[in-house]
Amino acid sequence: MIAISTAAEQRTVLENISWETFEAILKEIGDNRGSRLAYDEGTLEIMTPLLEHENPKIQFDRLVFALAEKLNTEIKSAGSTTLKLKVVKKGIEPDNCYYIQNESAVRGMVELDLETAPPPDLAIEIDITSSSVNKFGIYASLGVPELWRYDGRILKFYQLVESEYIECEFSIAFTFLSATDMTRFVEQSKIIGEIALIKLFRDWLKTC
């Protein structure tokens, strides 16, 4: 077992964990918890987010909603829902994930089974410290088409191309939005109030 703790995240890594054990852990700890799990073919990482991690997660969620309003498009938020596929022995709980292009396909759905349902269109990962598992590989195996990764300073957009993530400047779901623009607003959340931030972002959207 490996344990790593920072001001942003606490990570515990367990090796040689079977798929059955992973599913048993998910069932045992249930939905009402603060930790997030990532599983990659026997390696299980348990991450407990702290304030430096959680505040950007909330800001991203508000900004994504404002973007959907701008485009007048429906979205379905899946939050940190467990995304997993037994056939590839991989699973992950993103900081945020959303159905946007495929919102109508999952509207009204109360349980998510990736064997029959499409994966979320967008997932957001906040990794202030380096993860011990290959999250890009997990998301690619699950078929998530767009991934945003924020390291506490810089946000990068990635698009799934032939089973690999390629960095891209503009979002797939929100085609006018660049990673540079989104980074600027997330960074401003560190120096201005949250209400001021969303107002500033909505004012900027009017110019797009």
Side-chain angles (χ1 to χ4, degrees):
M1 182 180 76
I2 301 172
I4 301 171
S5 180
T6 71
E9 299 149 346
Q10 294 176 339
R11 299 181 187 272
T12 301
V13 181
L14 305 175
E15 302 288 351
N16 301 314
I17 303 298
S18 69
W19 180 262
E20 291 72 23
T21 300
F22 169 54
E23 291 205 310
I25 291 172
L26 286 172
K27 184 177 181 180
E28 179 67 24
I29 59 181
D31 296 328
N32 297 320
R33 54 188 162 86
S35 59
R36 298 192 188 103
L37 277 59
Y39 180 82
D40 188 8
E41 298 183 81
T43 300
L44 175 63
E45 179 184 84
I46 303 171
M47 188 275 289
T48 302
L50 303 177
L51 180 62
E52 186 183 353
H53 183 114
E54 285 297 90
N55 190 257
K57 164 189 165 72
I58 295 168
Q59 306 316 318
F60 275 118
D61 192 52
R62 291 170 179 163
L63 298 178
V64 166
F65 265 75
L67 286 164
E69 287 180 336
K70 161 71 176 178
L71 294 178
N72 194 30
T73 187
E74 286 295 342
I75 63 174
K76 184 178 180 69
S77 303
S80 297
T81 297
T82 306
L83 311 176
K84 59 187 176 74
L85 268 178
K86 183 177 181 180
V87 66
V88 294
K89 291 185 171 57
K90 296 181 188 293
I92 199 161
E93 295 173 333
D95 286 291
N96 293 313
C97 64
Y98 307 88
Y99 285 90
I100 306 169
Q101 297 94 316
N102 282 309
E103 183 273 338
S104 61
V106 296
R107 187 180 298 176
M109 191 177 290
V110 295
E111 292 186 4
L112 181 62
D113 183 352
L114 293 187
E115 292 185 1
T116 56
D121 297 298
L122 168 65
I124 299 176
E125 274 292 329
I126 299 168
D127 283 321
I128 309 299
T129 58
S130 297
S131 174
S132 299
V133 295
N134 180 5
K135 291 187 175 181
F136 278 52
I138 296 173
Y139 280 112
S141 295
L142 298 177
V144 176
E146 182 173 2
L147 180 63
W148 296 1
R149 184 181 183 276
Y150 180 64
D151 68 1
R153 297 183 303 107
I154 298 171
L155 172 68
K156 292 184 178 182
F157 291 171
Y158 296 90
Q159 177 180 357
L160 187 62
V161 179
E162 296 182 355
S163 301
E164 291 187 5
Y165 283 104
I166 306 298
E167 186 178 350
C168 53
E169 178 61 19
F170 289 89
S171 169
I172 304 170
F174 309 107
T175 54
F176 65 90
L177 180 71
S178 73
T180 301
D181 287 328
M182 198 65 166
T183 296
R184 177 164 55 90
F185 283 102
V186 175
E187 286 299 284
Q188 282 184 308
S189 72
K190 298 176 181 179
I191 58 175
I192 66 174
E194 296 183 10
I195 301 302
L197 176 69
I198 196 66
K199 286 181 177 179
L200 189 66
F201 188 64
R202 286 197 168 105
D203 286 342
W204 175 77
L205 286 175
K206 293 175 183 178
T207 69
C208 296

